[in-house]
């Protein structure tokens, strides 16, 4: 399974955990809610859905009332199929949510993981955020070293493009720092001496989001921004 198809399967399972949907609804949610899937097509989605059904993680159900299904059949049209997450699919998705290895830090996979942070335990969120920050700090160091080596050989426009790329990475690192500090503040607040007994454990198990950083009218960087690669 390719990394791209793995990310798509993860996102489909996550969306269907919220509610059953038919293919068109899924494609719309993937396009609007998860920007990393703006360019994919039905030809990509339906093989993914068939694979998930074959694995037992989804089931297909008629999406229309019986009389509407009959009318569609008589008209030669296919009735809409609704995809529903099975118990095994929910368990598999929760297992994927717990992964915190290097794949979770990469550009496209991190964007998909972040989109489902509301369903992710706090400690897992922290490890993914810290891993992403570490990966970008490594990238930034390499970009600076490369720029220092080649600065004299670059024309003004290429130099400006490289600076722009570095600024994008620096901006995401600052954003990650804010998120990590907010997660830590929320954890400390719920596990402090005045917290109700058992509250910290309950919040961790529920994946409660806590306080995200407030930016006023500013725009947060898109984790899937190509300029940050």
């Amino acid at each position: 399974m390719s990394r791209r198809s793995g990310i798509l399967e993860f996102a489909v399972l996550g969306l269907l955990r919220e509610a059953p949907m038919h293919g068109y609804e899924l494609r719309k949610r993937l396009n609007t809610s998860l920007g990393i899937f703006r360019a994919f097509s039905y030809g990509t989605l339906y093989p993914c859905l068939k694979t998930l059904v074959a694995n037992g993680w989804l089931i297909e159900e008629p999406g229309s009332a019986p009389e509407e299904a009959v009318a569609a059949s008589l008209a030669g049209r296919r009735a809409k199929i609704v995809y529903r997450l099975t118990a095994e699919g929910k368990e598999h998705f929760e297992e994927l949510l717990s992964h915190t290895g290097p794949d979770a830090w990469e550009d496209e996979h991190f964007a998909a993981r972040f989109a489902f942070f509301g369903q992710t335990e706090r400690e897992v969120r922290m490890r993914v955020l810290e891993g992403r920050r570490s990966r970008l700090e490594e990238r930034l160091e390499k970009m600076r070293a490369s720029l220092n080596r080649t600065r004299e050989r670059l024309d003004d426009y290429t130099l400006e493009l490289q600076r722009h790329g570095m600024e994008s990475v620096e901006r995401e690192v600052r954003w990650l720092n804010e998120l990590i500090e907010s997660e830590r503040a929320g954890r400390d607040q719920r596990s402090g001496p005045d917290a109700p007994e058992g509250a910290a454990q309950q919040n961790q198990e529920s994946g409660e989001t806590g306080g995200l950083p407030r930016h006023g009218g500013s725009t947060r960087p898109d984790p899937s921004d190509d300029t940050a690669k």
Side-chain angles (χ1 to χ4, degrees), residues 47-174:
C48 172
L49 290 170
K50 294 300 182 184
T51 297
L52 295 176
V53 170
N55 288 340
W57 297 330
L58 302 181
I59 57 174
E60 297 175 327
E61 299 177 337
S64 305
E67 59 272 15
E68 293 177 352
V70 171
S73 177
L74 292 174
R77 294 183 285 106
R78 292 181 56 188
K80 289 182 179 178
I81 295 174
V82 169
Y83 295 90
R84 182 185 297 274
L85 198 66
T86 64
E88 293 80 5
K90 181 179 179 181
E91 182 179 347
H92 179 62
F93 179 68
E94 290 173 352
E95 179 184 349
L96 294 176
L97 277 180
S98 69
H99 290 177
T100 60
D103 280 352
W105 313 338
E106 299 298 339
D107 296 331
E108 289 186 339
H109 208 155
F110 173 75
R113 288 298 303 272
F114 190 82
F116 295 100
F117 262 22
Q119 304 179 39
T120 306
E121 291 185 358
R122 183 185 303 277
E123 294 304 317
V124 174
R125 293 197 302 263
M126 284 288 292
R127 289 195 292 271
V128 173
L129 290 171
E130 289 171 344
R132 174 65 175 175
R133 180 176 63 180
S134 175
R135 178 59 49 86
L136 289 182
E137 287 173 341
E138 293 175 4
R139 184 182 299 174
L140 191 57
E141 183 177 349
K142 291 178 181 178
M143 293 173 74
R144 286 169 176 160
S146 175
L147 184 60
N148 288 334
R149 288 194 307 267
T150 60
R151 183 187 302 272
E152 299 301 326
R153 301 195 298 272
L154 299 177
D155 61 59
D156 290 343
Y157 295 101
T158 305
L159 188 61
E160 190 61 31
L161 184 62
Q162 294 215 7
R163 287 196 186 108
H164 173 68
M166 288 177 53
E167 289 171 359
S168 297
V169 178
E170 290 168 345
R171 185 169 60 251
E172 186 172 345
V173 170
R174 291 194 297 270

